[in-house]
């Protein structure tokens, strides 16, 4: 059993995003550009509707499996893209975040997930929703900062252009907000762990990797404070940080050290 | 553009980064920078590994209460004296600076990375892994040394900014002092954490709990009477198994169906229809009937129809229980329909907490809902797995962590710090950086 009607909702969402962003990019008049953004928002609303429906049908927060977390990721990325676009006018950034969101929806389309209502007692807690939402929102922001870093690196090495302060400033803004949420997610997790398992930190493999992720972004922030000029270092570090984040999110499931982890997402 | 790609070797990739590292002072001459910091951090790690190896991989021995308190006290005194009175000293300036901080954090990261890649507390780990402390990183010497280094560096950096107090440093203080309090109390509090397990049967009173760490039974300050243990389950799931290999063909959960309101599904091309579902059943001859005796397992009468509609198989499937055997439905030579054990939805113990003073408190103990009494937290952890929902035994855990209030103080400071980080972003720079 897979998610009910997911392909319809996902395709409508992707359609809204694609046509919207094309209208916004190619449109000559302001009206067409605005209509494009409206279409992107319409696509977003379709996805929101699906998430709500899934939540109601499953009778539990749809945040347990990897596929479900990918849905939230696709949900938050366009929101961050739209806000960044409205506030700082980074058009390319909206395009990239929508592309990434489409990629994750596409992944869920290609590998449809099981519709499972079961939720183990340890996950039934008021902490479940804030912990996951804050984390995925932070992951989306940090992924966005890595996109910025990759752009900066590509421009530096392949086009021989200095990335310039504008690029790294955008990365900084995203990392600071993303790191704040990452910290909140980590601490909410600790407070929840105390309620559920009796201790706030047990060095479960997922916790170890969450700590590593947190530390790498922490180093980035300190390097930016102290060595404002060494932008190339910072861009490389941001790329590396995202690799660690991905190990924490997906990779842990495949590590032998995580065989006994309480955080390995069940795939049934 | 073409010639540009040709010249793109690894060297040109990293050259601009290396180029920036120009050293015009000999190493170990003041002021110390990254080279000295990284030498010290790796020196600490190497000494730690050497100590661990020499001790045969037994890890850091348990300190007595007195020596632990003295160590914690000395550390605090050193940090505050250094941070407040000797902050202008060139050595202290280095110890509270970013290069030392980065080296300490990198050292901790290295240890955490080792922990993240090797299975912890694994009995089958090879000898050299154990002797290097890699099977028990958090109680190993290198981890201890680098943690103390981090505590000193972070502590002095925070202490420096307490006096003179400035509102501009509030975000900085919340983040740094908060983190320091968390690491300090978690490190020194770790040895004081007590976790004891108690097994109690329905209708009985128990006051002894088992301390796994020290392998002793301990008399608790309160007694527990278990009035009732309740386990609620989800409906069972059906799946398909390969008759020859015995493997479950779930394909990442695609071929699993929950016996719920959904009356039919498709697994591996077979249409599965549920004809009858008995939550609890007994078996008579070839058929199942409703029954609520102890050990009565769920059963489903199902119909499997092949893709081209040529084959139809009807029969019963049951997961069985501790006193009923399971039953699979063979749908063809290769495949059989099976039922998984139902998953627990919720389990709770209705208990009375009895004090020596004669007070009785009725509590419903549930996962995620611990109870508190006399400095102890009481958790629902398990039951008799063999008996499942018919278990008359509840496993509960008593936890005491005297340093918890400090850890929570640090955590809440860090939460407030994260909010300032979000609010002010990069403009949140402390006064003297």
């Amino acid at each position: 059993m897979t998610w009910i009607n997911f392909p319809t909702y996902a395709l409508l969402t992707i359609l809204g995003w694609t046509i919207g962003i094309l209208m916004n990019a190619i449109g000559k008049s302001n009206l067409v550009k605005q209509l494009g953004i409206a279409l992107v928002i319409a696509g977003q609303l379709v996805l929101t509707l699906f998430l709500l429906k899934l939540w109601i049908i499953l009778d539990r927060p749809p945040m347990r499996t990897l596929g479900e977390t990918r849905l939230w990721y696709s949900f938050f990325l366009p929101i961050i893209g739209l806000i960044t676009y409205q506030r700082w006018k980074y058009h390319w950034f909206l395009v990239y975040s929508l592309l990434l969101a489409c990629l994750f929806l596409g992944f869920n389309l290609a590998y449809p997930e099981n519709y499972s209502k079961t939720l183990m007692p340890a996950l039934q807690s008021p902490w479940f929703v804030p912990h996951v939402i804050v984390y995925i929102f932070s992951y989306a922001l940090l992924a966005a900062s890595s996109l910025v870093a990759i752009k900066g690196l590509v421009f530096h090495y392949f086009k021989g252009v200095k990335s310039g302060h504008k690029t790294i400033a955008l990365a900084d803004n995203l990392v600071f907000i993303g790191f704040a949420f990452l910290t909140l997610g980590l601490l909410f997790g600790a407070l929840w762990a105390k309620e559920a398992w009796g201790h706030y930190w047990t060095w479960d493999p997922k916790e170890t990797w969450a700590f590593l992720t947190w530390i790498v972004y922490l180093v980035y922030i300190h390097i930016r404070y102290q060595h404002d000029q060494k932008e190339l270092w910072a861009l490389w570090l941001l790329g590396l940080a995202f690799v660690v984040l991905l190990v924490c999110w997906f990779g842990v499931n495949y590590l032998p050290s995580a065989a006994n982890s309480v955080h390995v997402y069940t795939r049934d | 553009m073409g010639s540009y790609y040709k010249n793109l070797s690894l060297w040109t990739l990293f050259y601009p980064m290396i180029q920036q590292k120009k050293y015009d002072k000999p190493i170990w001459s003041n002021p110390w920078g990254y080279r000295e910091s990284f030498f010290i951090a790796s020196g600490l790690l190497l000494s730690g590994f050497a100590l661990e190896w020499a001790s045969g991989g037994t890890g850091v021995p348990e300190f007595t209460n007195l020596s632990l308190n003295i160590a914690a006290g000395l550390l605090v005194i050193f940090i505050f004296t250094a941070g407040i009175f000797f902050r202008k000293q060139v050595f202290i300036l280095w110890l509270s600076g970013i290069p030392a901080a980065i080296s300490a954090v990198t050292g901790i990261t290295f240890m955490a990375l080792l922990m993240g890649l090797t299975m912890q507390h694994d009995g089958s780990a090879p000898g050299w892994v154990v002797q290097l402390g890699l099977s028990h990183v958090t109680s190993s010497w290198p981890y201890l040394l680098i943690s103390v280094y981090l505590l000193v560096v972070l502590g002095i950096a925070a202490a420096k900014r307490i006096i003179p107090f400035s509102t501009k440093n509030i975000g900085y203080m919340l983040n740094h002092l908060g983190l320091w309090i968390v690491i300090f109390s978690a490190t020194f509090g770790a040895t004081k954490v007590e976790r004891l397990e108690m097994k109690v049967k329905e209708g009985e009173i128990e006051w002894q709990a088992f301390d796994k760490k020290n392998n002793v039974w301990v008399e608790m300050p309160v007694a527990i009477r278990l009035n009732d243990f309740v386990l609620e389950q989800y409906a069972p799931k059906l799946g398909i198994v390969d008759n020859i290999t015995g493997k479950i063909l779930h394909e990442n959960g695609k071929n699993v169906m929950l016996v719920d309101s959904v009356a039919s599904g498709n697994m591996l091309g077979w249409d599965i229809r549920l004809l009858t579902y008995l939550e609890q059943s007994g078996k008579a001859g070839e058929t199942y009937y409703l029954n609520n005796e102890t050990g009565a397992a769920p059963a489903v009468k199902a119909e499997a129809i092949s893709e081209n509609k040529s084959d139809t198989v009807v029969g019963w499937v049951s997961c069985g229980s501790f006193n009923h055997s399971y039953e699979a439905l063979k749908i063809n030579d290769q495949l059989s329909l099976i039922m998984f054990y139902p998953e627990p939805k919720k389990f709770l113990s209705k208990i009375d907490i009895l004090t020596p003073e004669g007070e009785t408190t009725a509590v419903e103990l549930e996962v995620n809902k611990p109870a508190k009494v006399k400095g102890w937290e009481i958790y629902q952890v398990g039951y008799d797995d063999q008996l499942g929902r018919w278990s008359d035994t509840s496993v509960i855990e008593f936890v005491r962590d005297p340093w918890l209030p400090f850890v929570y103080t640090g955590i809440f400071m860090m939460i407030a710090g994260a909010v300032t980080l979000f609010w002010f972003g990069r403009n949140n720079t402390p006064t003297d950086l």
Side-chain angles (χ1 to χ4, degrees):
Chain A
M1 290 297 297
T2 50
W3 294 337
I4 293 158
N5 295 335
F6 176 64
T8 317
Y9 283 91
L11 291 175
L12 274 175
T13 305
I14 293 173
L15 212 65
W17 286 347
T18 321
I19 298 176
I21 201 71
L22 281 176
M23 278 170 73
N24 186 263
I26 303 167
K28 293 271 187 288
S29 72
N30 217 26
L31 180 73
V32 179
K33 280 182 186 291
Q34 291 298 325
L35 270 175
I37 294 297
L39 257 179
V40 172
I41 296 174
Q44 186 68 16
L45 289 177
V46 174
L47 184 61
T48 314
L49 198 67
F50 177 75
L51 274 166
L52 283 174
K53 210 182 96 179
L54 189 66
W55 197 321
I56 292 165
I57 291 176
L58 287 178
D59 205 15
R60 63 168 175 83
M63 300 172 182
R64 196 199 65 177
T65 64
L66 274 175
E68 287 161 12
T69 60
R70 280 196 295 267
L71 269 183
W72 287 99
Y73 203 66
S74 308
F75 173 77
F76 283 124
L77 267 173
I79 294 178
I80 294 164
L82 281 168
I83 293 173
T84 324
Y85 173 70
Q86 284 299 335
R87 200 173 151 183
W88 293 297
K89 297 290 163 212
Y90 288 107
H91 184 265
W92 70 271
F93 184 72
L94 180 60
V95 177
Y96 274 107
S97 59
L98 285 176
L99 262 178
L100 205 61
C102 284
L103 192 78
F104 275 80
L105 280 185
F107 200 82
N108 274 353
L109 277 173
Y111 301 93
E113 239 194 25
N114 181 35
Y115 154 85
S116 169
K117 283 178 138 181
T118 56
L119 186 66
M120 60 196 276
L123 292 183
Q124 297 166 19
S125 159
W127 285 111
F128 186 34
V129 175
H131 174 66
V132 178
I133 290 275
V134 164
Y135 247 117
I136 297 297
F137 183 64
S138 139
Y139 279 8
L141 279 163
L142 296 172
S145 77
S146 299
L147 283 177
V148 176
I150 291 167
K151 179 185 175 249
L153 288 172
V154 167
F155 270 63
H156 181 91
Y157 289 117
F158 293 95
K159 304 205 169 158
V161 191
K162 273 236 160 194
S163 58
H165 286 298
K166 211 182 161 197
T167 305
I168 199 103
L170 174 62
D172 280 350
N173 284 331
L174 293 165
V175 170
F176 271 78
I177 301 172
F179 184 75
F181 278 89
L182 194 70
T183 309
L184 288 178
L186 195 77
L187 297 174
F188 287 177
L191 294 174
W192 180 11
K194 178 67 193 166
E195 291 287 294
W197 300 304
H199 202 58
Y200 47 87
W201 196 268
T202 47
W203 291 109
D204 174 89
K206 189 84 171 190
E207 289 174 0
T208 306
W209 282 95
F211 173 76
L212 282 167
T213 311
W214 188 76
I215 280 280
V216 182
Y217 284 101
L218 187 90
V219 169
Y220 173 83
I221 288 176
H222 284 81
I223 289 211
R224 291 294 298 141
Y225 266 133
Q226 193 74 353
H227 309 284
D228 225 359
Q229 302 310 312
K230 299 193 176 175
E231 286 170 358
L232 206 54
W233 277 39
L235 294 178
W236 276 103
L237 189 61
L238 218 43
L240 170 83
F242 195 62
V243 174
V244 178
L245 186 150
L246 287 181
V247 173
C248 180
W249 189 10
F250 303 104
V252 166
N253 290 15
Y254 307 101
L255 284 178
S257 58
N260 303 320
S261 171
V262 290
H263 272 95
V264 170
Y265 301 101
T266 46
R267 304 196 125 220
D268 64 352
Chain B
M1 194 83 123
S3 65
Y4 190 81
Y5 285 105
K6 226 185 280 169
N7 294 332
L8 197 77
S9 63
L10 211 59
W11 171 245
T12 54
L13 272 176
F14 291 100
Y15 180 68
M17 295 161 73
I18 300 159
Q19 196 186 27
Q20 288 167 330
K21 282 191 171 187
K22 274 187 203 136
Y23 297 113
D24 41 18
K25 74 175 187 60
I27 193 164
W28 302 120
S29 65
N30 286 320
W32 291 358
Y34 280 96
R35 275 181 305 171
E36 292 82 359
S37 303
F38 274 89
F39 260 113
I40 287 168
S42 22
L44 284 170
L45 285 178
L46 283 176
S47 328
F49 281 117
L51 260 173
E52 188 70 33
W53 188 268
S55 77
T58 51
V60 181
E62 288 237 345
F63 292 111
T64 62
N65 272 345
L66 182 69
S67 56
L68 204 67
N69 288 340
I70 291 175
L74 284 178
L75 196 64
V76 171
I77 293 169
F78 172 67
I79 286 169
F80 281 88
T81 323
I84 293 168
F85 301 110
F86 298 99
R87 63 174 91 175
K88 296 277 187 278
Q89 290 268 322
V90 71
F91 176 70
I92 302 301
L93 271 177
W94 162 75
L95 203 50
S96 59
I98 292 237
I102 300 273
S103 75
V105 165
T106 309
I108 280 281
T109 308
F110 177 69
M111 292 311 293
L113 200 59
L114 290 178
M115 200 183 333
L117 294 173
T118 45
M119 180 104 124
Q120 295 298 292
H121 308 290
D122 172 21
S124 60
W128 63 269
V129 170
V130 177
Q131 201 163 1
L132 276 174
L134 300 183
S135 61
H136 50 274
V137 170
T138 53
S139 59
S140 71
W141 280 106
Y143 181 80
L144 177 82
L145 294 184
I146 201 77
S147 301
V148 171
Y149 180 51
L150 178 68
L151 273 175
V152 169
V153 169
L154 181 61
I156 299 179
K160 257 174 46 168
R161 291 175 180 85
I162 294 179
I163 304 167
F165 181 79
S166 156
T167 47
K168 230 195 151 208
N169 288 347
I170 285 182
Y172 180 94
M173 287 305 290
L174 287 171
N175 285 319
H176 291 77
L177 195 59
L179 178 64
W180 184 84
I181 292 173
V182 169
I183 301 177
F184 182 82
S185 355
T187 308
F188 286 95
T191 53
K192 299 286 176 60
V193 177
E194 289 175 82
R195 305 188 73 150
L196 310 166
E197 198 177 273
M198 179 186 275
K199 278 183 189 155
V200 53
K201 279 196 153 194
E202 267 175 4
E204 291 182 3
I205 296 179
E206 182 60 78
W207 57 89
Q208 284 201 319
F210 190 66
D211 178 354
K212 274 186 196 160
K213 203 164 97 189
N214 301 312
N215 229 8
V216 285
W217 287 93
V218 179
E219 208 162 286
M220 303 311 296
V222 291
I224 301 292
R225 177 168 53 213
L226 179 63
N227 296 317
D228 195 13
F229 175 76
V230 186
L231 175 72
E232 282 176 32
Q233 291 171 319
Y234 286 103
K237 285 173 177 170
L238 298 182
I240 288 195
V241 72
D242 185 316
N243 290 339
I244 297 138
T245 61
K247 260 196 174 157
I248 297 162
L249 307 169
H250 64 76
E251 291 183 13
N252 281 339
K254 245 174 280 173
N255 301 315
V256 175
M257 80 192 250
L258 188 71
V259 181
D260 198 355
S261 46
V262 190
S264 67
N266 190 292
M267 295 195 274
L268 289 175
W270 288 80
D271 257 323
I272 310 290
R273 289 189 192 153
L274 308 181
L275 306 176
T276 317
Y277 168 45
L278 304 173
E279 220 180 306
Q280 296 174 290
S281 68
K283 191 180 181 186
E286 286 308 302
T287 155
Y288 286 75
Y289 59 91
L290 202 62
N291 174 312
N292 57 5
E293 282 167 20
T294 300
V300 160
K301 190 178 187 182
E303 186 180 37
I305 305 161
S306 67
E307 209 154 9
N308 53 14
K309 314 255 186 272
S310 58
D311 286 321
T312 304
V313 189
V314 181
W316 285 91
V317 188
S318 171
C319 58
S321 71
F322 69 97
N323 66 0
H324 281 58
S325 54
Y326 76 91
E327 182 151 352
L329 174 63
K330 196 171 168 187
I331 50 181
N332 65 14
D333 285 342
Q334 289 105 46
L335 307 171
S336 287
L337 191 66
I338 52 142
M339 182 187 281
F340 297 102
Y341 282 120
E343 293 166 40
K345 186 180 199 171
K346 153 180 188 169
F347 51 98
L348 61 95
S349 302
K350 295 179 179 170
I351 58 163
D352 286 328
I353 303 173
L354 314 166
T355 67
E357 296 84 34
E359 286 168 39
T360 305
T361 320
V363 174
E364 279 193 8
L365 214 55
E366 206 183 317
V367 181
N368 270 312
K369 288 173 193 157
K372 275 189 185 126
V373 62
K374 296 201 168 192
W376 291 88
E377 279 130 31
I378 310 175
Y379 291 84
Q380 172 76 62
V381 289
Y383 48 89
D384 186 334
D385 292 329
Q386 279 253 291
L387 296 180
R389 62 189 291 187
W390 300 281
S391 170
D392 58 352
T393 309
S394 178
V395 184
I396 62 181
E397 191 177 32
F398 281 74
V399 180
R400 186 157 70 173
D401 183 357
W403 287 70
L404 191 65
F406 298 102
V407 176
Y408 273 15
T409 307
I411 287 182
F412 287 116
M413 284 172 76
M414 284 177 74
I415 288 178
V419 174
T420 65
L421 201 64
F422 169 70
W423 206 255
F424 300 108
R426 271 213 70 176
N427 305 325
N428 202 21
T429 319
T431 45
D432 57 338
L433 266 183

